[in-house]
Amino acid sequence: MLDVDTGIDDALALMSVLADPRADIAAIASTAGNVPAARVAANNLALLDLCQAPDIEVALGAQQPLATPLRTTEDTHGPQGIGYAELLPSARVLSERTAAQLWVDTVRTRPGEVVGLATGPLTNLALALRLEPQLPHLLRRLVIMGGAFNHPGNTTPTNEWNVHVDPEAAKEVFDAFSLVPADRRPIVCALDITETIEMNPDHLRRIAERANCAGLTIPAPGDRPGIRCEAANPMVRFLFDAVRFYFEFHDRFGLGYIAHMHDPFAAAVALDSAIAELRPATVDVELTGTLTRAQTVADWAGMWGREPNADIAVRTDPGAFFDQLIARLGDFAVHCYPAPQEVR
């Protein structure tokens, strides 16, 4: 089950899971974060259309964090959350269930089978825990993209975005996993590792070539902002137009003409945790610090005297990850749109 705040990198994460034959998406919860919850839900429904996906239940999540006003980030992801890309409104309908109820019903129906993937603020999951405190024991595993430990924040000097949006929810989730067996601890993909996952223009070129769209103009530093892709393949066009915006954002803030693929990496871990080296720790979230509110803190050495409640991804092979992502997205684009695709 996915809980996303779609979002450019969330969109690529969702597409990569849809592309993987091992995955069976039980449901999708839409959480407010990168853009408001209603826009997230609309993006999710439209992406299912783009990817020619079967009927998958999509639920609307909480409109606001648990205790603070919602902060969104259209400067990072564009006014619709998908950069320069455009998606047609979907005729699919939202679930009558809330996202929190969908979490609960899904794990109760399939106890011990469901892998949860949360790539946005943890509001929906915290609300689900209030309905079903046994949720950590009913899940097979939870993968979270969030937090920063031995690494600077990307929202404040100490904070990662997803936790910053709703730190109370993040704390409730980590606290709830304090008593689960070691093999049920959530896997946390924090900035420490996800900021090593740097997509660059050559990765887009390789996806296009894999999708039989060789010859496209590849985004490059110094391009006029807002150039649109001319690929005939709709999925390739979406990827180029979404990621170009992300490249420009990162470049504008001095990070280079790259894009951190936080959420696709977390999705890859959810599909196969062996791609990352994991290290157990006790994780808590600061709620009262004047300068450090929403900071995630890991007790690596057991100084608090509390059992680990998370396995933190500490090392991976970015090159191998991108080889896999490129193959998966390129092949999926051809699978969904098999006609020969040339520059239109």
Side-chain angles (χ1 to χ4, degrees), residues 54 59 98 107 111 205 265 267 294 316:
T98 66
V107 299
R205 178 192 60 78
F265 177 75
T316 193

Side-chain angles (χ1 to χ4, degrees), residues 154-313:
N154 63 355
T155 307
T156 75
T158 62
N159 294 1
E160 179 276 328
W161 167 259
N162 289 333
V163 177
H164 179 85
V165 170
D166 197 344
E168 280 77 13
K171 180 171 175 57
E172 287 193 25
V173 170
F174 282 114
D175 287 352
F177 279 85
S178 296
L179 299 177
V180 298
D183 63 352
R184 298 292 178 92
R185 290 193 295 250
I187 299 173
V188 182
C189 302
L191 295 182
D192 309 53
I193 195 165
T194 64
E195 288 200 346
T196 71
I197 310 299
E198 297 182 352
M199 179 174 275
N200 61 51
D202 192 60
H203 293 129
L204 282 184
R205 178 192 60 78
R206 291 170 59 193
I207 291 172
E209 291 178 353
R210 185 99 181 192
N212 299 327
C213 291
L216 292 176
T217 300
I218 307 301
D223 282 353
R224 171 179 54 82
I227 296 173
R228 300 300 198 270
C229 179
E230 296 182 344
N233 187 302
M235 289 183 64
V236 172
R237 193 162 64 245
F238 176 88
L239 290 167
F240 269 57
D241 289 347
V243 175
R244 178 186 287 277
F245 189 98
Y246 218 23
F247 285 159
E248 291 175 3
F249 166 80
H250 286 76
D251 196 39
R252 192 162 63 249
F253 283 86
L255 300 173
Y257 201 75
I258 55 97
H260 292 134
M261 289 291 118
H262 310 282
D263 298 341
F265 177 75
V269 171
L271 291 164
D272 180 9
S273 63
I275 72 167
E277 179 183 334
L278 307 178
R279 183 179 174 189
T282 307
V283 173
D284 211 330
V285 182
E286 176 61 59
L287 297 182
T288 60
T290 302
L291 299 177
T292 58
R293 173 174 158 77
Q295 181 178 3
T296 47
V297 181
D299 178 10
W300 302 100
M303 294 180 179
W304 291 334
R306 293 152 50 187
E307 290 297 314
N309 63 348
D311 287 332
I312 299 173

Side-chain angles (χ1 to χ4, degrees), residues 85-124:
E86 298 177 4
L87 292 169
L88 295 174
S90 177
R92 300 178 191 234
V93 296
L94 284 172
S95 173
E96 295 181 356
R97 295 187 276 188
T98 66
Q101 191 63 56
L102 185 58
W103 266 108
V104 172
D105 293 345
T106 300
V107 299
R108 284 176 175 171
T109 302
R110 300 166 63 175
E113 299 179 10
V114 177
V115 175
L117 171 64
T119 64
L122 297 176
T123 313
N124 294 331

Side-chain angles (χ1 to χ4, degrees), residues 1-2 10-26 56 117 119 263-264 266-268 270-271 325 328-329 332:
M1 176 165 170
L2 279 67
D10 306 78
L12 270 69
L14 174 56
M15 293 169 75
S16 71
V17 176
L18 288 167
D20 195 305
R22 297 171 296 179
D24 174 17
I25 299 178
I56 296 173
L117 171 64
T119 64
D263 298 341
L271 291 164
L325 182 70
R328 188 166 295 152
L329 292 179
F332 192 44

